[in-house]
Amino acid sequence: MAAVWPTFVRNWRVTLRAYPWTYFVGTLATGLLTVGVALLAYRAIGGGRVAASFTAATGGSDYLGYVTVGAAALTFTTRMVLWVAKAQITEYREGTLESQLLTPARRLPYLLGVTLQALTTTVVEVAVLLAAAVALGVRLSVPDPLALVAALAAATVAVLGMSVPLSAVMLAAGEAHITQNTLFTAMALLCGFTFPTGYLPDAARWLGEALPVTWALRVLRAATLPGASVDVPSALAVCLALGAAYLAVGLWILPPAERRALQRSGNA
Amino acid sequence: MRHALRVVAAEALKQHRRLFGQPLVVFSMLIWPVLTLAVTYYTVLPVTGAPAAGARWAVAGDPRRLLAFLAAGALAYTFFFSLVQSAWHFSFERVSGTLEAVFLSPASRLALVVGNGAGALVQNAWLFGCFAVAAASAADLLRVAHPGMYVVAFVALLVPAVAWGAFLNSLLIFSRDSAFLYTLLDDPLWFVAGVRLPLFALPVWVKAVGLAFPLTSSLVVLRGSLLDGARVAELAAPLAWLAALTVGLFAAAAGLLRWGEARAARTGSLQLF
C-alpha cells in the first residue's frame, strides 16, 4: 500500500501545474445544460407538474431535484472514470508505463492513489455544479445524510471497479476516446441518472442492473429524495459486491493488457 | 473558379480519406447520437406526460411525435457537429506540421476551408440514409406539404452547414487551443439551437443567442417541412434569415482567413501549438 500516498501527491502536483480546464468546462457545461433543459421543460411544457408515471416510479414529484442529483452523479462518474481509467493509458502515452511496470509497486495501490486524488478534485467540481443549479432555482434536500455518505463511498467503489477493466481495454486497444465516450453515453442511458430506469425496455434495464453505478445511484436517491422507497442496505451490498467483482476482473485482465501495450510500443 | 473547384475537390478527397471508414465516425455520428437521443427522450418524458402538457405543446401529447421532434433535432445537430469535428481535425495540421505547407501553396484559402467542410458533409450522407430508413418505418409521423419540401429541408441544412464549417475552420486554424473551442461549440450549441426543446420553452435571451447560429433556423425549416407540413411561404422568414447568415458566415470566414494569415506571417505562429 506504500504506493497510494506518493501517487496521490504526484497527481496533485500535476493537477496544480496543469489543470485540465477544458475537460472541467466541458463536463460542467454538460451537467448544467442538462439541468437547464429539465428546468425549462418543467416550467414551459409541464407547467410545474410531472406525469403520474414519474411520481409512481420515484415516490415523489421532485423532477428538478431528481434530474439535478442525477446530472451531478453523472458528472462525478464521468470525471472519476476520466481520471482512473485513463491513468495507465496516459502513462503509456507519456512514455512512463515501462518505468511503472519496472517498479515493485503493485497495481491496486497505484490505482487507489489515483482514485483518492481524483475524488478530492471531483467533489469540488460537483459542488460547483450543484451550487450553480441551486443558483438557477433548483431546490435540493438531503433527508438522510448518513445515506449520502454511504452513497459517496458506494459510488467511489463502483467507479473504481468499472474503471479498472476499462483501463485494461484502453491499454489493449491503444485508444481511449471511443471507449470512454461509448461508456459515458451507455451509462447515461442504462443507469437512470436523469430518469427512472423503469422507463427503459426490459433488456436495457437488465443491462443497467449489472452496472454497480446503477446501485450506487439508488443509495443516492434514498439520501436525496424524500419519498424514495429504496432498501439502502441491500442496494449498498449489491453495489459493493458488483464493484468488487468488476475490480477483480479488471486486476486479472490488466497484466495481459499491459503486456500487449508494451509489445505494441516495442514494435513501433 | 476552376482552380478553386479543384482545391475544393482535393481537400474534400483528403478529408474523406482521412476520416471515412474510421470507427470514430461510426461512433460519433451514429451510436453516440442515438444513445443520447434515447436519454433526452426519457429525460423529458416525465414533463411531457404531465397533465395538460399537450395543451401547451401539441407534440407533448404523443410520445411518437415527441421522438420524431427530438430525432430531427439530433439529426440536424449531428450534421452540424460533424463540421465542428471536421474543423477540429483540420486544426491537427498545425500539430502535424503541415499547416505552414498548406499556406505556402497558392491554393485559395476560402476554397480550402469550404472543401474541408463539404468533404465532411458528403461522407455523412449515409447518416441521412439511416434517418430515412427510420422515418420510413414511421411514415405516418411525416407530414410533408409536397415532395419539393424534402429538397427545401435538405438545402436548408446543407448550405448553411457548409458556411458554418468554413467559418469554424477559419477560426480553428488560427487558434492554438482548438480543444477549448471544440468544447465550447459542443454542448452550448444544442442548448441554444432548440435541439432538445421547442423554441417557445427557451428564455428570450437564449433565443436571441440561438438566432446567431444557423443550426437554429435550419432546424426550424427541417421540422416545419418534414413534421408540420409547412410550405415555403410559411417558412420564408427562417429561410431568408438562413440566406443572410450563410452570406455573413462566408464573408466572416474570408475576413478571418486574411487577417489570421497576415498575423501568422508576422508572428510565425503557424507551427506552434
Side-chain angles (χ1 to χ4, degrees):
Chain A
M1 284 292 145
V4 177
W5 183 244
T7 311
F8 178 86
V9 172
R10 186 209 52 176
N11 277 17
W12 252 113
R13 280 196 190 141
V14 173
T15 307
L16 288 177
R17 279 184 198 165
Y19 181 76
W21 283 105
T22 305
Y23 266 159
F24 172 57
V25 172
T27 39
L28 187 69
T30 308
L32 210 51
L33 293 175
T34 306
V35 175
V37 164
L39 196 70
L40 295 173
Y42 181 66
R43 286 181 185 158
I45 301 167
R49 296 170 74 186
V50 288
S53 62
F54 180 79
T55 317
T58 62
S61 57
D62 184 11
Y63 173 71
L64 291 180
Y66 190 93
V67 174
T68 305
V69 167
L74 185 58
T75 306
F76 176 86
T77 312
T78 312
R79 290 291 288 165
M80 290 291 285
V81 170
L82 278 175
W83 277 106
V84 185
K86 285 183 83 174
Q88 283 200 288
I89 196 162
T90 307
E91 304 271 4
Y92 170 72
R93 286 173 176 167
E94 291 173 353
T96 45
L97 184 68
E98 275 183 60
S99 324
Q100 194 208 356
L101 299 186
L102 284 172
T103 64
R106 298 176 73 88
R107 212 64 72 240
L108 185 61
Y110 165 81
L111 289 167
L112 282 175
V114 174
T115 307
L116 282 180
Q117 192 274 333
L119 197 60
T120 52
T121 51
T122 305
V123 165
V124 175
E125 289 166 354
V126 172
V128 173
L129 170 63
L130 288 175
V134 169
L136 283 177
V138 178
R139 268 180 298 174
L140 297 169
S141 62
V142 185
D144 190 350
L146 198 63
L148 185 67
V149 177
L152 188 63
T156 308
V157 173
V159 168
L160 173 66
M162 287 178 61
S163 296
V164 180
L166 194 69
S167 174
V169 172
M170 286 177 176
L171 275 177
E175 188 285 333
H177 187 67
I178 294 177
T179 317
Q180 80 195 28
N181 286 330
T182 305
L183 178 84
F184 295 154
T185 44
M187 274 196 321
L189 181 64
L190 299 175
C191 299
F193 283 99
T194 50
F195 57 88
T197 47
Y199 282 12
L200 290 170
D202 282 345
R205 205 156 49 81
W206 282 109
L207 276 176
E209 299 289 316
L211 297 172
V213 172
T214 309
W215 295 90
L217 254 177
R218 290 198 178 129
V219 183
L220 187 64
R221 298 297 182 201
T224 53
L225 281 181
S229 57
V230 180
D231 180 2
V232 175
S234 10
L236 204 57
V238 177
C239 174
L240 295 179
L242 276 176
Y246 275 74
L247 182 64
V249 171
L251 289 173
W252 179 53
I253 62 172
L254 204 49
E258 288 166 350
R259 271 198 297 278
R260 197 168 159 167
L262 280 188
Q263 279 161 1
R264 192 175 41 240
S265 59
N267 293 337
Chain B
M1 190 63 196
R2 227 179 117 227
H3 172 75
L5 284 178
R6 281 177 63 193
V7 173
V8 170
E11 175 60 30
L13 180 67
K14 186 203 81 184
Q15 193 70 356
H16 175 76
R17 283 190 178 155
R18 251 183 72 102
L19 290 176
F20 197 71
Q22 295 267 341
L24 175 67
V25 174
V26 178
F27 277 92
S28 70
M29 297 281 107
L30 190 65
I31 295 175
W32 300 339
V34 168
L35 289 173
T36 308
L37 169 65
V39 173
T40 310
Y41 172 71
Y42 287 124
T43 304
V44 296
L45 215 48
V47 169
T48 54
R56 285 180 211 96
W57 187 35
V59 172
D62 180 355
R64 292 181 70 225
R65 277 185 74 193
L66 174 67
L67 192 58
F69 174 88
L70 294 173
L75 173 79
Y77 174 70
T78 309
F79 202 78
F80 269 75
F81 188 70
S82 75
L83 287 154
V84 178
Q85 189 157 282
S86 174
W88 189 50
H89 274 270
F90 198 41
S91 67
F92 289 174
E93 303 251 6
R94 174 189 290 275
V95 182
S96 319
T98 43
L99 192 59
E100 204 164 37
V102 167
F103 276 87
L104 282 173
S105 75
S108 152
R109 278 56 167 141
L110 194 59
L112 204 65
V113 293
V114 169
N116 184 280
L121 287 178
V122 169
Q123 68 184 0
N124 289 328
W126 58 272
L127 194 67
F128 270 92
C130 294
F131 185 74
V133 170
S137 65
D140 57 313
L141 288 174
L142 292 184
R143 282 179 53 214
V144 185
H146 57 85
M149 292 309 290
Y150 285 107
V151 181
V152 173
F154 187 70
V155 171
L157 204 51
L158 182 79
V159 178
V162 173
W164 178 240
F167 173 71
L168 282 183
N169 262 322
S170 56
L171 209 62
L172 284 172
I173 285 175
F174 299 110
S175 161
R176 281 167 62 183
D177 186 6
S178 55
F180 197 76
L181 275 172
Y182 182 72
T183 307
L184 266 186
L185 290 171
D186 180 359
D187 282 317
L189 184 62
W190 64 250
F191 187 74
V192 299
V195 169
R196 299 180 190 180
L197 281 178
L199 287 174
F200 78 84
L202 299 175
V204 177
W205 66 270
V206 175
K207 271 188 263 195
V209 174
L211 271 180
F213 295 93
L215 173 59
T216 314
S217 304
S218 285
L219 204 44
V220 170
V221 176
L222 183 76
R223 283 177 177 148
S225 49
L226 298 188
L227 301 178
D228 299 331
R231 294 169 179 280
V232 174
E234 294 162 60
L235 297 170
L239 282 170
W241 177 240
L242 269 180
L245 268 183
T246 305
V247 173
L249 283 170
F250 274 128
L256 272 171
L257 283 168
R258 201 175 294 250
W259 175 73
E261 189 176 351
R263 191 167 172 278
R266 201 170 59 246
T267 59
S269 62
L270 274 187
Q271 299 279 25
L272 305 178
F273 58 89

